[in-house]
């Protein structure tokens, strides 16, 4: 009896997970195929656009007001990642910061994450950042400046950026990724 009830509850849970994923995807400006957004993800606006094969686990927070968050194909996030495209003004004299409602153009800037990127758990990506293709953002890193393609970023004793591949390896990687994407498109009839 317990086994039977357990199977039913397990099946119901899988339907719940699929429903939550579809609902979260419906909140986005646009999304590709094979995208998964777990429950417990906070998405603040429809100014978020994701490509194909994107995985966003529980605890992620994507805050976007006037700017956009653009995420390419084949991007995976660790738990509790935060992306924020905006900032509060703190330069208005005589008004508490929490009461300042006006925004300037420079207070909100797009965040762009290119294809084939892994963002580790608890990483924070701030406004105006462009993370290049093939980057690895280490767990806990705070990214406030753009990162060149195929870099590995860690936060041990300050921001440390190093290459992921040699120039020769980058060319081989890009060639193999193109083959992978062709097969993906054929299999998914894109």
């Amino acid at each position: 009896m317990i086994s039977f009830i357990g199977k039913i509850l397990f099946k119901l849970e899988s339907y719940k997970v699929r429903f939550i994923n579809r609902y979260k995807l419906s909140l986005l400006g646009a999304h590709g195929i094979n995208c998964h957004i777990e429950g417990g993800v906070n998405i603040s606006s429809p100014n978020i656009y994701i490509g194909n094969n994107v995985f966003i686990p529980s605890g992620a927070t994507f805050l976007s007001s006037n700017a956009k968050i653009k995420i390419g194909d084949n991007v995976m996030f660790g738990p509790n990642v935060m992306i924020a495209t905006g900032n509060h003004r703190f330069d208005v004299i005589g008004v508490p910061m929490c009461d300042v409602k006006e925004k300037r153009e420079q207070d909100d800037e797009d965040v762009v994450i290119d294809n084939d990127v892994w963002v580790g758990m608890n990483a924070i990506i701030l406004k105006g950042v462009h993370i290049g293709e093939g980057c690895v953002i280490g767990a806990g890193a705070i990214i406030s400046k753009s990162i060149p393609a195929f870099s590995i970023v860690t936060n041990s004793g300050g921001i440390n950026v190093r290459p992921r591949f040699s120039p020769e390896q980058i060319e081989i990687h890009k060639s193999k990724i193109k083959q992978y994407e062709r097969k993906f498109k054929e299999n998914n009839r894109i």
Side-chain angles (χ1 to χ4, degrees), residues 85 87 91 103-109 127:
T85 64
N87 221 353
D91 63 335
K103 285 222 174 216
R104 302 166 298 182
E105 191 174 313
Q106 66 264 31
D107 293 330
D108 294 292
E109 297 177 47
K127 72 177 182 118

Side-chain angles (χ1 to χ4, degrees), residues 3-59:
S3 176
F4 176 72
I5 293 171
K7 287 178 185 178
I8 291 173
L9 291 174
F10 183 77
K11 193 69 171 167
L12 288 173
E13 179 69 18
S14 72
Y15 286 123
K16 176 183 143 190
V17 166
R18 279 191 239 151
F19 177 79
I20 289 171
N21 185 52
R22 287 186 184 147
Y23 170 70
K24 295 285 185 175
L25 288 170
S26 76
L27 298 175
L28 304 176
H31 63 84
I33 62 171
N34 197 31
C35 297
H36 185 78
I37 301 176
E38 290 187 346
V41 172
N42 180 15
I43 296 172
S44 69
S45 82
N47 290 340
I48 300 168
Y49 304 86
I50 64 176
N52 299 313
N53 289 328
V54 175
F55 178 74
I56 305 169
S58 274

